[in-house]
Amino acid sequence: MMLSDVMEDYLKTIYQLQRETDDRIKTSAIADELDVTSPTVTSMLDKLEERGLVDREKYRGVTLTDEGETVALEVVRHHRLLEAYLTEHLDYDWAEVHEEADRLEHHISEDFEARVADVLGEPTVDPHGAPIPGADLEPPERPDGESVTSFSAGDTVIVEEVADRDADVLSYLAEHGVRPGVELEIVEVAPFGMITARSSDHDSDVSLPESVAHHVRVTEPPELEQ
């Protein structure tokens, strides 16, 4: 099945939004994510539905069909392997790789994908902590973490994943030592949403406005989990 780059982008976006909720995905959510108008989304969903890639219910939104999910998983696998390769072997900063991978993900062959995965040692997560689907294109398990905004002053957490869509946010977080695997101590949570945290990888506190903290998913350290 030959699909355009734009069709694949829509399927990838729906997949990523589905990973964040158990509900059907609204047209408005897709429009916000892709920065397009709702009528544009509706037109594309018509095409995807005709090809059997999405299931739509009027006024309730869409979900991916099994076939649509397989396509999305392949694009996501390409994207995250490329991010890892660009970071580890071509010295790209982790704030730069998302847009570069967006451009390349639609155009690599399965042989190239396999070689990249082999060179990287078959990684299970990308540089931002997001799970990489396996070569079998089975959906990876949903990560256990939740937004750092769910925790309180005095809590200690481990950064699990950082959303890769905003280069400015990624640069800010990297500058202050907020990366996957790093331990954060929540120092203060202000009434208006500002979180102050101390990273085990940085010698000073970092301020996380709610708009930035929303991008950071964390888990409790193993010894604190029940």
Side-chain angles (χ1 to χ4, degrees):
M1 175 188 296
M2 290 296 296
L3 300 175
S4 69
D5 294 358
V6 175
M7 287 179 171
E8 290 185 348
D9 284 338
Y10 270 78
L11 295 172
K12 182 179 73 170
T13 297
I14 295 168
Y15 169 80
Q16 291 170 332
L17 291 170
Q18 282 185 181
R19 296 280 286 180
E20 299 170 4
T21 178
D22 293 325
D23 294 330
R24 286 175 169 268
I25 307 305
K26 304 287 190 183
T27 298
S28 57
I30 301 170
D32 289 344
E33 191 70 20
L34 292 174
D35 195 24
V36 296
T37 65
S38 289
T40 298
V41 174
T42 298
S43 177
M44 178 56 70
L45 292 179
D46 287 340
K47 297 174 183 177
L48 296 175
E49 185 178 29
E50 287 174 6
R51 290 178 176 240
L53 298 169
V54 298
D55 177 75
R56 298 168 78 185
E57 286 190 18
K58 197 171 185 179
Y59 306 122
R60 295 195 59 221
V62 301
T63 59
L64 296 175
T65 63
D66 289 344
E67 188 173 6
E69 183 176 64
T70 298
V71 174
L73 284 164
E74 184 168 30
V75 179
V76 169
R77 175 170 168 80
H78 288 178
H79 182 96
R80 293 177 180 171
L81 284 172
L82 286 164
E83 287 193 333
Y85 185 81
L86 291 167
T87 303
E88 294 184 26
H89 291 275
L90 297 182
D91 295 326
Y92 275 72
D93 185 87
W94 78 334
E96 301 175 303
V97 293
H98 179 68
E99 288 189 6
E100 197 71 66
D102 266 348
R103 287 188 283 268
L104 295 170
E105 65 192 13
H106 308 288
H107 307 295
I108 66 173
S109 68
E110 299 313 299
D111 181 59
F112 184 87
E113 172 206 308
R115 293 186 185 211
V116 168
D118 182 60
V119 165
L120 293 170
E122 301 292 342
T124 57
V125 295
D126 73 7
H128 311 101
I132 299 175
D136 58 3
L137 299 182
E138 287 294 317
E141 290 187 15
R142 185 174 296 183
D144 296 328
E146 53 189 317
S147 170
V148 70
T149 58
S150 301
F151 291 83
S152 304
D155 289 340
T156 298
V157 295
I158 303 293
V159 178
E160 178 183 63
E161 179 181 348
V162 177
D164 67 356
R165 299 179 185 90
D166 191 317
D168 291 337
V169 169
L170 286 172
S171 295
Y172 178 81
L173 293 175
E175 180 182 347
H176 292 87
V178 181
R179 292 179 176 271
V182 166
E183 185 176 274
L184 291 182
E185 177 189 351
I186 310 300
V187 177
E188 181 182 6
V189 179
F192 51 86
M194 176 74 77
I195 292 175
T196 302
R198 186 169 298 125
S199 166
S200 61
D201 198 37
H202 202 263
D203 59 5
S204 62
D205 292 352
V206 55
S207 298
L208 301 174
E210 190 169 10
S211 59
V212 173
H214 176 70
H215 290 260
V216 182
R217 294 180 66 84
V218 299
T219 60
E220 292 183 297
E223 65 272 15
L224 298 180
E225 294 177 352
Q226 300 298 320

